[in-house]
Amino acid sequence: MNRSATQLVTEFVLLGFPGCWKIQIFLFSLLLVVYVLTLLGNGLIICAVRCDARLHTPMYSLLGNFAFLEIWYISSTVPNMLANILSKTKAISFSACFLQFYFFFSLGTTECLFLAVMAYDRYLAICRPLHYPTIMTGRLCGMLVSCCWLIGFLGYPVPIFFISQLPFCGPNIIDHFLCDMDPLMALSCAPAPVTETVFYTQSSLVLFCTVLYILCSYVLLLRAVIRVPSADGRRKAFSTCGSHLLVVSVFYGTVMVMYVSPTYGIPTLTQKILTLVYSVMTPLFNPLIYSLRNKDMKLALRNVLFGMRVCPKS
């Protein structure tokens, strides 16, 4: 089928969240505050990891990179949402829609991989503490971080390119606040079962493999923590892993509902709220979770905020 002869759609309309103008302004203000707080919170974590010499370890290096990822992840959706709320047409161009689609899934995949790597780091620190310095070196940490970014961004160009080549003859209305897989496939004039199967298989493999690895890591961690003789030691180990496990639970819980379980029985508004939780709220909560449950991080953030220490020159 010739795309030039069939594709009439040059832009899509993102309906976003329904409501009167007052509700839209309230939503705009709320999203703007969340976005600014997310940038500030994750930015402070990056500064703290860079400026405090005590945080120059693989664990905090991973956390700093994770905070950097969260800034880009929320930026793939919220700025366009803010512009869309104020827009009368609520239109997004064809190329911008698929660009957002690509970055949203690539960054989401990178986040899954980062969470798995952070689970591996905690497993080594607690289950193999004597070997941790020799295994989790700066070089290995850098390689793992690079692999997360490369795999995340090299995994989706081909399937998303093929989806963009499908004929979109109209209508062009997407009942969502971002360009997602299901709404785009619903607007295609021609079925593409192979492309759809490849995309969902790839996404499901990333989700299942990373979550299974994280669960296995925490089973081993739990066994190791139970064997710790002192109550203080057990409490410290649980505190170290608790923040990471909380992030994993919130992120994977909502993502699994959206992309693994059938969504045809879930109301559209519920799908939007679930997507909002893992794409907007999770990046906001991450700096709070990590800073409030970690004494070294709280002290480093206090030093950054009140200038108690001078950041060393690189």
Side-chain angles (χ1 to χ4, degrees):
M1 186 177 291
N2 188 351
R3 176 180 170 179
S4 61
T6 59
Q7 182 179 319
L8 303 177
V9 172
T10 58
E11 64 180 17
F12 295 99
V13 176
L14 295 172
L15 294 183
F17 287 93
C20 63
W21 181 244
K22 289 184 178 180
I23 294 177
Q24 296 298 310
I25 292 299
F26 170 77
L27 184 60
F28 176 88
S29 303
L30 181 62
L31 286 173
L32 182 60
V33 170
V34 169
Y35 185 55
V36 171
L37 290 177
T38 303
L39 296 183
L40 290 175
N42 286 285
L44 283 173
I45 287 180
I46 295 172
C47 292
V49 171
R50 177 176 173 80
C51 295
D52 197 314
R54 293 172 304 173
L55 303 187
H56 293 174
T57 63
M59 172 185 172
Y60 292 108
S61 177
L62 289 172
L63 180 56
N65 278 276
F66 188 63
F68 179 73
L69 167 65
E70 294 293 60
I71 290 175
W72 284 102
Y73 190 42
I74 193 172
S75 296
S76 68
T77 56
V78 171
N80 184 73
M81 289 175 63
L82 295 174
N84 183 266
I85 292 174
L86 299 180
S87 172
K88 293 183 178 180
T89 61
K90 299 187 180 297
I92 182 172
S93 68
F94 187 91
S95 58
C97 181
F98 278 93
L99 193 64
Q100 183 191 56
F101 184 27
Y102 168 70
F103 276 103
F104 181 68
F105 271 89
S106 296
L107 291 166
T109 299
T110 306
E111 177 149 351
C112 292
L113 297 172
F114 256 105
L115 290 172
V117 169
M118 292 167 77
Y120 173 66
D121 176 74
R122 291 302 82 210
Y123 161 76
L124 289 178
I126 293 176
C127 297
R128 304 185 65 183
L130 298 179
H131 297 88
Y132 179 80
T134 58
I135 297 176
M136 185 56 74
T137 61
R139 181 178 180 182
L140 178 60
C141 183
M143 290 175 60
L144 291 173
V145 168
S146 299
C147 286
C148 289
W149 285 101
L150 287 174
I151 294 173
F153 276 84
L154 294 180
Y156 285 97
V158 173
I160 290 180
F161 171 77
F162 280 109
I163 295 172
S164 69
Q165 299 305 298
L166 295 174
F168 294 90
C169 313
N172 65 338
I173 298 175
I174 298 177
D175 191 6
H176 212 316
F177 59 81
L178 56 79
C179 294
D180 206 350
M181 179 64 178
D182 285 341
L184 286 171
M185 294 304 298
L187 295 182
S188 174
C189 301
V194 175
T195 302
E196 196 169 356
T197 300
V198 169
F199 185 90
Y200 279 116
T201 300
Q202 180 178 333
S203 300
S204 298
L205 280 174
V206 171
L207 286 172
F208 278 118
C209 289
T210 53
V211 76
L212 284 176
Y213 179 81
I214 292 170
L215 290 176
C216 290
S217 298
Y218 273 97
V219 169
L220 296 175
L221 285 173
L222 183 61
R223 289 177 57 188
V225 170
I226 291 175
R227 294 173 183 174
V228 175
S230 66
D232 290 338
R234 288 194 298 269
R235 191 180 303 110
K236 183 178 180 181
F238 277 121
S239 177
T240 302
C241 300
S243 57
H244 181 230
L245 188 58
L246 184 58
V247 172
V248 169
S249 301
V250 174
F251 180 76
Y252 276 100
T254 51
V255 171
M256 286 289 189
V257 173
M258 282 298 301
Y259 296 105
V260 177
S261 62
T263 58
Y264 53 81
I266 303 177
T268 303
L269 182 58
T270 303
Q271 294 184 36
K272 294 178 184 179
I273 293 174
L274 289 172
T275 306
L276 197 68
V277 169
Y278 71 79
S279 65
V280 177
M281 302 310 297
T282 303
L284 171 66
F285 291 145
N286 283 346
L288 296 175
I289 292 170
Y290 281 112
S291 61
L292 292 177
R293 295 182 63 86
N294 189 294
K295 293 181 179 179
D296 290 337
M297 180 57 69
K298 284 192 289 187
L299 182 59
L301 289 173
R302 193 179 302 120
N303 292 336
V304 171
L305 286 172
F306 298 103
M308 295 173 63
R309 291 187 181 181
V310 180
C311 183
K313 296 181 179 180
S314 56

